[in-house]
Amino acid sequence: MTFACIFLFAVMLQVPFQNQNNIQEPLALPLISDEIVIDGHINENIWDKIEPLPLAAYTPVAGLSPSEKTEIRFAYDANYLYASIRAFDSEPSAVRANTLYRDRYSGDDHIHILLDTFNDNESGMVFVVTPTGAKRDQLVSNDGEGSNAINTDFNTYWEAAAQVDERGWYAEIRIPFTSLGFQDENGRVTMGLYVQRGITRKNERVTFPEVPDHLTRAYYRPSLAKKIILDSVYSQQSLHFTPYFTGGLEQKNVLNDAATDFSSHNNHKLEPGFDLKYGISNNINLDVTVNTDFAQVEADDEQADLTRFNIFFPEKRQFFLEKSGLFEFNTEGSGRLFHSRRIGLTEKGESVRILGGGRLYGRIGSWDVGLLNMQTDKHQELPGTNYGVVRFRRRIVNPYSYAGAMFTSKVTANGSDNLSFGMDGSIRLKANDYLVWTWAQTIDENINDLLFWDASQVRINWERRTRRGFSWKSTINRTGDKYNPGIGFVPRSDYFHIGQEINYGWMPGENSPLHWHSLKLDGSVYWRTTEPEIESAEYGAFWNGDTKNGDQISTGLTWHYEDILTDFTILDRARIFPGEYSFFRAEAGYRRAAGRLFRPGIDANIGSFYDGWRLLLNFSPRWNLSKHFELEASWLYNLVDLPSEPRRFDAHIGQLRVRTALNTQLSTNALFQVNSSANRILTNIRFRYNFRDGNDLWIVYNEGIHTNRHRSGLVWPRMDTRVLMAKYTHTFHGSN
């Protein structure tokens, strides 16, 4: 009923506007027959026959002419889209070329290309090249709006090369059409194009087309892209077959069932598997995986949980990341109806063998369609499980709005079933105003006497998205106490929530040291659905600002209320007892501009905490010693004082990432973590030799060490787990 009412309201509106970039005539890119060598030298004569794109500044002051001469050109042939960039610089020695590491942004100068390949004003693919020739590719969903809209772990097949000389730096890019999803109409393709040059030391971004500065991250918004026309480009069937071999040794100390002693286990692994990607057409793809392996995936970041709610860990596995925006169904905060991380991983993060599965995704007519099915093996007491997802979505009302539906299933070998389904949508009411809704329902055979509202989730948001003048986000959300999507994520349940966020932002202009700053008032109240009582509430006032050179500053004051019915433990150290608590905190933060070689960041938070107090400090510096060597560290410190025992305690999480790269092909990423509350030190070292896209050799070493060996009446072994793995992948390409 809720969905039907919203949909009818949206249809009645029939908003007739379009973005200015879509009102103008599309840009026809030149079709070429010349051969272009991707070496970064830009010495082919054809480039000088093509007009460069007109550029305008987005930051630090929108609309100004670029401070450095920049020539960006595009062309295409039957199989590839090409780009050339001449990024001249009056101080070539100051060009930021900080890293050779793939998929890494370390304050480098860069060229950023966004392609709205489906011309849907909502999703896109991003290709980034730095002066060192390092590549970064990303996926964009939801028009770049929200914390999950940018998928930075995505990889696809394309080529780039760059050169630096005494006049600046240069780059050439070649993207196969088989790496892009699009629809052609008798050989004519319409896409959206957005391109940006970043001059990091000046915090300057110059763009085509010119975009308004009141929108945050405009360079990730497909709705702002210029429409381009490609003729004589036809749908192609492509095939990428990637077999792999994984081998290694795992050593693990396991606590016995009686919890009295540990036993050591050694496991050897030597297994093949493969991934297959078949482009049925340029807008429909089929992915198949057999004996899926994720040995090369980076370890999760350690987290400190001082709440009674579930912690969210993001997906990092490549198979689930491509076109993941299509499968998004976000409910509230980090909540979602489908979270792919629930496949192949236990609640404790242990790997469960994925026997295989498949995924079909793309566009059929005006519909975005996604189908996924995966099968896991049994693991300890967990039975083998089948996971299924069906997703449909299409544009409605205007080019910037959509409605969709999702169905998920989790069926175990012992006959336990969990089904979920729901509908969602977003309607652009006018230039910056959006109405967003979700409704979801779950059915679990283990829950008897199920009532509709007990196992449902409903959310309605009215948002104004701008950083100049007034903006807001009004939220109504209800989640029943039996709502349980089997392959989703629910941070909290059994609540009715009303939230209101109001912002006022200023763009002070050319003479101010500030580029932008805002004042935000934020409030939310949660009531229990099973009892008509307030469970928690929070009200706060915050100020945030960005300087012209890119530094970020923030301050805030917050009042918080909690009504606790059942005791719980924080950081495995202190117990919070039932009762009503009211506490107040102050916070401040600073981040140095990305253009600096040494970039410290610090956050501080102090105030009352339940019936005591808490101090939080987070120091997170980054340092590029050269383009071959980068250090990134963080230290999160919590000091808590409560009346219960232990009265005062602290908890540390320390991280050190060491990235090295001999060139764009040979790199190492080492992550060392210390978690005092979990009493462990974790090491994750990954060596990669990237022969070419899709052809890699990985060597991975993981180790876990117990730091407090005398606890719980046991003497814990020094080592928890040690793993040494090697993985080789080789992709065979074909098309017709």
Side-chain angles (χ1 to χ4, degrees):
M1 179 64 72
T2 301
F3 172 83
C5 292
I6 296 174
F7 182 81
L8 288 174
F9 173 71
V11 172
M12 290 172 62
L13 287 173
Q14 290 295 312
V15 184
F17 73 91
Q18 287 191 334
N19 180 272
Q20 183 66 28
N21 295 323
N22 296 317
I23 295 174
Q24 299 172 357
E25 284 294 317
L27 174 67
L29 295 188
L31 174 64
I32 62 174
S33 58
D34 302 57
E35 181 181 358
I36 294 179
V37 178
I38 305 301
D39 56 11
H41 288 293
I42 317 181
N43 50 13
E44 293 85 1
N45 293 330
I46 187 62
W47 286 124
D48 293 323
K49 299 177 182 179
I50 300 172
E51 283 294 317
L53 299 177
L55 303 171
Y58 170 67
T59 60
V61 179
L64 297 182
S65 297
S67 67
E68 304 288 352
K69 182 180 179 182
T70 306
E71 297 177 358
I72 301 177
R73 296 173 170 88
F74 283 84
Y76 70 99
D77 60 23
N79 299 305
Y80 299 97
L81 178 69
Y82 299 91
S84 72
I85 300 94
R86 291 185 173 113
F88 299 102
D89 202 301
S90 57
E91 298 179 73
S93 61
V95 168
R96 294 288 188 259
N98 296 338
T99 186
L100 288 158
Y101 204 85
R102 174 71 188 262
D103 290 327
R104 177 72 186 147
Y105 177 68
S106 299
D108 306 76
D109 286 6
H110 59 275
I111 292 297
H112 166 116
I113 298 170
L114 183 148
L115 295 172
D116 178 6
T117 59
F118 278 131
N119 192 30
D120 61 9
N121 300 298
E122 190 269 338
S123 63
M125 303 174 74
V126 173
F127 302 89
V128 181
V129 181
T130 74
T132 66
K135 301 190 303 182
R136 189 158 42 112
D137 29 21
Q138 302 167 313
L139 284 178
V140 177
S141 60
N142 196 34
D143 199 24
E145 186 69 28
S147 58
N148 304 310
I150 314 301
N151 183 335
T152 59
D153 294 305
F154 164 75
N155 287 306
T156 191
Y157 305 103
W158 58 295
E159 299 173 75
Q163 302 287 339
V164 180
D165 66 15
E166 68 280 359
R167 297 189 303 162
W169 68 280
Y170 316 89
E172 288 180 301
I173 296 170
R174 177 164 58 199
I175 305 171
F177 286 129
T178 54
S179 292
L180 306 177
F182 59 83
Q183 290 180 309
D184 73 276
E185 297 181 6
N186 298 319
R188 168 163 286 202
V189 177
T190 303
M191 295 185 183
L193 170 67
Y194 179 98
V195 61
Q196 166 197 271
R197 177 190 177 183
I199 309 173
T200 312
R201 72 181 185 278
K202 299 181 178 182
N203 191 34
E204 183 175 349
R205 300 176 187 267
V206 296
T207 74
F208 171 83
E210 182 177 352
V211 295
D213 62 351
H214 68 273
L215 294 175
T216 58
R217 299 196 302 184
Y219 38 91
Y220 281 121
R221 293 185 180 271
S223 63
L224 299 177
K226 175 69 175 179
K227 301 305 177 186
I228 60 172
I229 299 294
L230 310 174
D231 280 313
S232 300
V233 174
Y234 295 91
S235 175
Q236 301 180 32
Q237 292 179 320
S238 62
L239 177 67
H240 304 289
F241 176 63
T242 308
Y244 76 82
F245 293 91
T246 300
L249 171 68
E250 178 185 45
Q251 297 176 314
K252 190 171 186 178
N253 288 307
V254 180
L255 186 64
N256 62 23
D257 293 337
T260 57
D261 200 2
F262 294 85
S263 58
S264 179
H265 297 264
N266 294 331
N267 299 312
H268 296 83
K269 181 178 181 179
L270 180 60
E271 292 184 347
F274 71 83
D275 294 333
L276 183 146
K277 179 184 293 293
Y278 177 56
I280 300 173
S281 66
N282 270 93
N283 57 310
I284 296 291
N285 286 286
L286 172 66
D287 294 349
V288 176
T289 181
V290 173
N291 200 22
T292 316
D293 178 81
F294 302 108
Q296 74 275 24
V297 176
E298 185 181 51
D300 288 319
D301 291 341
E302 291 289 292
Q303 298 189 36
D305 185 16
L306 278 80
T307 74
R308 63 187 189 279
F309 306 116
N310 298 323
I311 297 180
F312 177 80
F313 289 95
E315 178 64 87
K316 296 185 177 183
R317 299 169 296 177
Q318 181 63 32
F319 179 83
F320 294 107
L321 290 174
E322 185 167 359
K323 211 58 181 175
S324 58
L326 172 60
F327 290 91
E328 284 188 358
F329 190 111
N330 298 332
T331 51
E332 179 68 16
S334 57
R336 53 205 62 198
L337 189 63
F338 169 59
H339 185 33
S340 59
R341 189 184 169 90
R342 300 292 297 273
I343 303 174
L345 289 172
T346 67
E347 296 291 343
K348 296 181 180 180
E350 298 175 338
S351 295
V352 178
R353 183 178 181 181
I354 298 179
L355 299 176
R359 179 178 57 179
L360 183 74
Y361 59 93
R363 173 163 292 180
I364 302 175
S366 57
W367 287 91
D368 293 320
V369 178
L371 308 172
L372 181 144
N373 190 272
M374 304 293 292
Q375 179 67 44
T376 60
D377 200 358
K378 62 180 181 180
H379 176 78
Q380 298 176 4
E381 290 81 21
L382 297 176
T385 305
N386 182 267
Y387 302 86
V389 182
V390 178
R391 175 63 156 153
F392 296 100
R393 189 175 62 190
R394 65 165 295 162
R395 283 187 288 179
I396 61 171
V397 183
N398 59 56
Y400 311 97
S401 305
Y402 74 88
M406 176 176 278
F407 173 85
T408 74
S409 65
K410 178 182 179 182
V411 181
T412 63
N414 62 10
S416 177
D417 299 341
N418 180 284
L419 305 177
S420 305
F421 54 92
M423 296 181 178
D424 66 337
S426 174
I427 295 178
R428 190 174 179 181
L429 302 175
K430 57 181 181 178
N432 300 311
D433 288 6
Y434 291 79
L435 183 67
V436 181
W437 76 88
T438 59
W439 164 71
Q441 188 75 34
T442 65
I443 301 173
D444 194 317
E445 67 173 25
N446 295 319
I447 301 177
N448 297 321
D449 301 324
L450 186 65
L451 297 178
F452 177 83
W453 281 108
D454 295 338
S456 68
Q457 179 277 334
V458 178
R459 172 177 65 106
I460 301 175
N461 285 355
W462 178 26
E463 307 173 14
R464 171 163 289 181
R465 303 171 182 174
T466 179
R467 59 177 179 173
R468 174 184 288 157
F470 278 108
S471 63
W472 58 76
K473 181 177 180 180
S474 304
T475 302
I476 298 176
N477 186 22
R478 184 193 186 280
T479 301
D481 63 320
K482 300 296 190 302
Y483 174 71
N484 177 35
I487 48 177
F489 180 78
V490 183
R492 67 190 290 176
S493 58
D494 183 24
Y495 68 85
F496 174 75
H497 167 229
I498 294 179
Q500 181 64 60
E501 176 185 312
I502 300 175
N503 293 268
Y504 192 87
W506 293 266
M507 311 288 290
E510 190 172 356
N511 297 323
S512 172
L514 291 174
H515 168 240
W516 165 84
H517 64 111
S518 75
L519 179 66
K520 179 174 76 171
L521 301 177
D522 192 3
S524 64
V525 181
Y526 291 84
W527 288 269
R528 297 183 183 90
T529 61
T530 52
E531 300 178 23
E533 298 176 347
I534 294 178
E535 180 179 53
S536 59
E538 185 170 340
Y539 303 96
F542 308 88
W543 178 86
N544 299 276
D546 296 343
T547 66
K548 286 284 198 319
N549 66 5
D551 292 349
Q552 299 177 353
I553 311 167
S554 63
T555 60
L557 299 172
T558 306
W559 174 83
H560 198 87
Y561 167 82
E562 289 283 349
D563 180 22
I564 306 299
L565 299 182
T566 305
D567 61 346
F568 66 98
T569 302
I570 58 173
L571 300 176
D572 295 325
R573 301 288 297 276
R575 178 164 295 179
I576 304 298
F577 294 98
E580 295 185 24
Y581 300 90
S582 178
F583 41 99
F584 177 87
R585 68 174 182 264
E587 59 187 66
Y590 170 76
R591 293 282 183 280
R592 199 177 188 191
R596 310 296 179 90
L597 296 181
F598 180 69
R599 308 181 294 280
I602 187 168
D603 294 283
N605 185 318
I606 189 170
S608 51
F609 184 67
Y610 293 99
D611 50 354
W613 61 272
R614 184 187 71 159
L615 168 68
L616 179 149
L617 295 173
N618 186 15
F619 181 58
S620 53
R622 297 179 180 180
W623 189 15
N624 288 92
L625 286 81
S626 75
K627 63 183 179 181
H628 302 284
F629 193 77
E630 178 183 358
L631 296 176
E632 179 182 351
S634 69
W635 174 61
L636 177 65
Y637 174 68
N638 276 284
L639 177 62
V640 180
D641 189 299
L642 297 170
S644 58
E645 293 296 332
R647 177 172 175 80
R648 179 177 295 185
F649 65 92
D650 56 22
H652 308 257
I653 292 181
Q655 288 187 342
L656 175 63
R657 280 185 172 88
V658 182
R659 296 185 177 93
T660 61
L662 181 64
N663 49 45
T664 56
Q665 295 176 296
L666 191 64
S667 61
T668 303
N669 186 343
L671 172 61
F672 307 95
Q673 300 187 85
V674 178
N675 188 333
S676 67
S677 61
N679 301 293
R680 63 187 179 191
I681 299 175
L682 301 174
T683 300
N684 173 229
I685 301 174
R686 300 179 300 140
F687 166 86
R688 181 186 187 186
Y689 185 28
N690 175 225
F691 302 92
R692 60 184 176 86
D693 283 346
N695 192 1
D696 290 285
L697 172 65
W698 292 89
I699 299 176
V700 181
Y701 177 76
N702 293 313
E703 184 175 61
I705 296 175
H706 296 291
T707 56
N708 181 4
R709 299 180 59 194
H710 299 275
R711 51 191 168 92
S712 304
L714 295 171
V715 179
W716 292 66
R718 174 67 63 185
M719 183 197 72
D720 176 33
T721 304
R722 181 180 293 138
V723 179
L724 178 63
M725 286 285 183
K727 180 178 181 180
Y728 178 73
T729 67
H730 190 101
T731 300
F732 299 91
H733 305 270
S735 63
N736 57 53

